[in-house]
Amino acid sequence: QVQLVESGGGSVQTGDSLRLSCAASGLSFSSYHIGWFRQAPGKEREFVAAITRSGSGSKIFYADSVKGRFTISRDNAKITTYLQMNSLKPEDTGLYHCAAVNTPQGTWSATYYKPQAYRVWGQGTQVTVST
């Protein structure tokens, strides 16, 4: 059974840090692009960060709103993706999901900034940042 399980969310104050984890099972992890998305109440799910499948070297992409503050990484041995979030702001509040898509050719395109491109989703972990 293909599954993604997020953890690490919580309630913090502005400027604090959190590290989210996304543990995968039932899939060839190294063949998948992994993305992080977030959704605030009343808003659409938005792209946060992504890391491409392993191979000649994973590429990393960030939303402009988190560049310089968030870091995505993957550990294929642990079948886990991480999202290190520093200097958190209230606007970072939301339900954070990780998602995966199998890409045999390993290419990246603008498609992968959109949630519709991903085939496997976790349940999400809540991040709340207060002032």
Side-chain angles (χ1 to χ4, degrees):
Q1 182 181 359
V2 177
Q3 192 173 15
L4 299 175
V5 179
E6 302 94 336
S7 62
S11 296
V12 297
Q13 294 187 326
T14 298
D16 286 348
S17 299
L18 284 173
R19 188 175 83 154
L20 306 184
S21 298
C22 171
S25 60
L27 52 80
S28 298
F29 183 70
S30 61
S31 299
Y32 282 69
H33 292 343
I34 305 294
W36 283 95
F37 292 80
R38 66 188 181 191
Q39 188 166 18
K43 294 188 177 181
E44 293 186 351
R45 191 168 295 187
E46 66 172 356
F47 173 83
V48 175
I51 185 165
T52 62
R53 60 168 286 168
S54 303
S56 59
S58 293
K59 297 180 180 178
I60 290 174
F61 302 88
Y62 296 104
D64 287 343
S65 59
V66 307
K67 280 181 182 176
R69 299 189 298 122
F70 290 14
T71 303
I72 187 173
S73 61
R74 65 190 298 161
D75 185 333
N76 290 332
K78 295 183 178 180
I79 323 178
T80 301
T81 306
Y82 304 98
L83 186 67
Q84 177 68 42
M85 306 187 297
N86 299 329
S87 303
L88 283 162
K89 304 176 181 179
E91 50 264 44
D92 294 318
T93 294
L95 185 63
Y96 282 69
H97 297 268
C98 63
V101 57
N102 188 13
T103 59
Q105 296 180 341
T107 56
W108 176 267
S109 72
T111 299
Y112 296 113
Y113 287 102
K114 301 177 182 178
Q116 296 92 324
Y118 293 78
R119 295 294 176 261
V120 185
W121 287 84
Q123 296 285 346
T125 184
Q126 179 67 36
V127 173
T128 303
V129 185
S130 58
T131 56

